[in-house]
Amino acid sequence: MGEIDAVIRVEGLTKSYGRFQALKGVDLVVERGQVHGFLGPNGAGKSTTIRVLLGLLRGDGGTATVLGMDPWHDVVDLHRRIAYVPGDVSLWPGMTGGEAIDLLGSLRGGLDEARRAELIERFELDPTKRGRQYSKGNRQKVAIVAALASDVELLILDEPTSGLDPLMENVFQEVVGEAKARGASVLLSSHIMTEVESLADRLSIIRQGEIVQTGTLADLQQGSRTTIHATFARPVPDAALAELSDIHVDGLRMTATVDASRVGDAMAQLTPFGITALTVEPPSLESLFLRLYEPDADERAS
Amino acid sequence: MAGTAITGTPPLLQAEVRHDGRLLAPWALLTTLLASSSMLYPLIFPTDEDRSAFAAAVGSNPAMAIIFGPAFDLSTTDGFAAWRSLALGGLIAALGVIFAVTRATRAQEDSGQAELLASGVMGRAARLMAAVWMCLVFAIVLGLVTGLVTVAFGGGWNATMLLAATMTATAWMFTGVAAVTAQLGSDARTANSLAVATLGVLFIARGVTYALDAPDWVIWINPLGWMTETKPAVDDDWWPLLAAVALTVALLVVAFVLQARREFGAGAIAPRPGPARGRDRSTWRLALRLNRGPMLSWTIAFIALGLVFGYLATSVTDILGGDAALQQMLAAGAVTDAELVSAFLVTILSLVGIIASIPGVQTMLKVRAEELDDRLEPIIVTATARPRYYASNVLIALGAPAVYMLVAGTLMAALAGAADVGVTFGDVLLQAAATVPAVWTVVALSVAVVGARPHVALAAWAGVLVSFALTILGPTFNLWDWVLAISPYWHVPNVTSADADWWGLVWISLVTLFFLMVGFAGFRRRDLATQ
Ligand SMILES: Nc1ncnc2c1ncn2[C@@H]1O[C@H](COP(=O)(O)OP(=O)(O)O)[C@@H](O)[C@H]1O
Ligand SMILES: [Mg+2]
């Protein structure tokens, strides 16, 4: 594990707010040049982890290294090389978006003028409006432009698209893809699977302050289950449902899941009962994700 | 339509009281303390000689009249209570409701909290209505508690209840003022500043008109003058309170008309498009920009203070000319004109200093507000070191009040120096400059609080309150020197006196330095707030 070139390496990180333990030993490795998805339900500890990585909070235990530096001690040097977009962007009420972009860019050490103009164009942002006039989505665009207009090695994005409409979300995906093509590494947190599915090379899933799964998309897809919705002509006896689990039967209609490798067997057992309607959902990360989100996932897994 | 506009007021009022009620309580506590502690008068000044000596001291320093208003009768306890608590009690009660009205209307609108509520079953005017009701009722409670507690400690029924009623009436009028300014300002800070500035101007104007023995009509055009003219314990006139009720109603009508006309989240003045490119590219420029508006208003305020107090200094001897007891002392050579004027200047410059520390504390609390609003985070996440960010703001918090002091001081010096009253331009300016270190100590306390203990941000005001209580109120309690010495202003020397002790300024500057170090160390080390 020590061999890989990691831009972020977190080991056994813990953090408490008073008596409440928000992080209970988080392990996270982001490889250079990759987009790393950081998934988890609300309150799982994504923002807390990210704030420790940014040196805004000090971790209680464990270690965190960003670009080979200690985020708490080497703040200034480190911050020259990273950019951050928070999920809840708050701007100065009397300052225009354009002014905020220039201020934040200069404080980071300058920004790429051409890219600034191009990003404003692509995100259809009006830079002459004042902070208090922007909607949530537009405030987020300001933060995204400010972050992406400078050339940095590492982008840390904490639910950056929670206020964007689908069109702008596409632009965002393109723009992050381009940053990756330029060689930047990205930590992208979200609570929605589809947001990171298309971008992420690797994923870590956090729940209640602990990483419950980590790996490539393919790794995570393994062992996930296909969902079957079927309507039958005749009642199906229990014996024919042996391959299935998570079974819900409502009269002649049934919903169930089956191991991705055993779909054929299951179908063979069900066909004799006269299938009148059938949908088969391929193993989706969404379902895996949902399963991991359920509070009793631990018991289920064991 | 009027009916539907206020739909939803009762549940909102309930939520408001639960949410904001405890923030109002301290204001009632303060007025109660102020009025009921006056009942200690017989203990502090037991004999008639003590009382007339005290009355002479009060009479010989017009600075006292500016703060407390005129002393109609200091020979009785009720008369003393009225002199000491009427102006200040009204000020406290008015500040309490101003902040409450703004909090319940503007601040909620800024934070988006009101938007959640506005989408529920609620009329457009319901929020303002709930805020107004809460404050009107609170003002009555404040008056009752203040009056009854003071009566319980020995105050005369009629005089005390009238005194308490002036506080209620003042709070009513400023509920109206704040309801109007909440519609005019386009954010909470502006709304508060407008209302507090109105209060400040009327308050100082009242003090000055009484100190100068101005003609009657000048007193009667000032609503705060109506309160003083009730003269509790002397004339016990209740009828000026009717004028206050009428003014309250008029202001509220204006507020509701304005409210019906403006859009959600907007003020009377609509914003225009701004520049697409920014010129402010450092934390220093950012701090300057965020404090620009208040700095402009405060500069104007201190120019006004300097002119008014400077003019007063030139007429101190005239004002005192009618005081027989004082004439005797003057004739006996016990005091000289120059001494009277310089005593006046020391007191009034301490007051100017205490006022100058307010914008300093506000600047530091703005840092905390920025942090809580998540606007500090994007700055710290750039290549900006925390101490640098903090230093930019601390520089403004310390620098601006010093400039205000010197602005007011220069004007006072020019006016007093030009008149032939025995003090030179240099004396007055030096006295103003000597007061600056005390202002810094008070502001530095807020630097320490915001840096190291931001959860108790209200403690940032402790320095302002303590120095006001000890330096301005302390003498009316005849307090021991070691208690008075807690206030940094106590250590400011009288520069015209031969045995001026400058060491005091060194000691309080060491305290300042200590507070600054605590603040910077705390700010560098602590977790930044998360929402
Ligand atoms: N300042 C705070 N004080 C107390 N608890 C907090 C604070 N910030 C976050 N938490 C709690 O810590 C947990 C993790 O929060 P967070 O990291 O923001 O989650 P996420 O970003 O994944 O939604 C949540 O339960 C949240 O309520
Ligand atoms: Mg979060």
Side-chain angles (χ1 to χ4, degrees), chain A residues 17 20 22 40-49 51 158-159, chain B residues 530-531:
Chain A
Y17 295 111
F20 175 73
N42 292 320
K46 301 181 296 292
S47 298
T48 305
T49 308
R51 287 194 156 105
D158 189 2
E159 308 202 21
Chain B
T530 56
Q531 65 286 59

Side-chain angles (χ1 to χ4, degrees), chain A residues 152-260:
Chain A
V152 292
E153 281 169 61
L154 175 61
L155 285 166
I156 296 184
L157 313 171
D158 189 2
E159 308 202 21
T161 59
S162 46
L164 296 187
D165 59 51
L167 225 57
M168 287 303 138
E169 217 177 299
N170 277 344
V171 177
F172 173 78
Q173 306 251 346
E174 287 169 25
V175 168
V176 171
E178 290 160 21
K180 183 187 164 188
R182 282 196 302 271
S185 319
V186 183
L187 178 66
L188 173 61
S189 104
S190 176
H191 66 276
I192 302 163
M193 184 77 219
T194 46
E195 239 174 45
V196 299
E197 215 167 14
S198 55
L199 278 173
D201 302 298
R202 288 176 68 83
L203 286 164
S204 291
I205 299 179
I206 185 170
R207 193 172 56 86
Q208 293 174 8
E210 283 171 298
I211 301 289
V212 288
Q213 284 265 356
T214 191
T216 63
L217 284 167
D219 290 344
L220 296 191
Q221 254 158 342
Q222 261 182 19
S224 64
R225 304 178 71 87
T226 300
T227 307
I228 297 176
H229 305 273
T231 311
F232 299 98
R234 296 180 288 280
V236 183
D238 282 353
L241 301 175
E243 294 288 344
L244 306 175
S245 49
D246 303 324
I247 304 165
H248 297 279
V249 179
D250 176 18
L252 292 173
R253 274 187 295 183
M254 180 207 74
T255 302
T257 64
V258 57
D259 197 283

Side-chain angles (χ1 to χ4, degrees), chain B residues 358-428:
Chain B
I358 294 173
V361 173
Q362 279 179 333
T363 298
M364 291 320 296
L365 286 177
K366 174 79 181 160
V367 174
R368 177 63 178 166
E370 287 281 297
E371 178 182 348
L372 289 177
D373 287 348
D374 291 327
R375 287 195 288 266
L376 177 52
E377 197 181 86
I379 298 289
I380 298 299
V381 163
T382 65
T384 304
R386 289 191 194 194
R388 190 190 179 85
Y389 175 84
Y390 209 49
S392 304
N393 288 282
V394 169
L395 203 60
I396 290 178
L398 295 179
V403 173
Y404 302 148
M405 279 306 294
L406 295 181
V407 166
T410 307
L411 289 168
M412 289 169 68
L415 287 169
D420 183 23
V421 288
V423 290
T424 67
F425 179 88
D427 290 340
V428 184

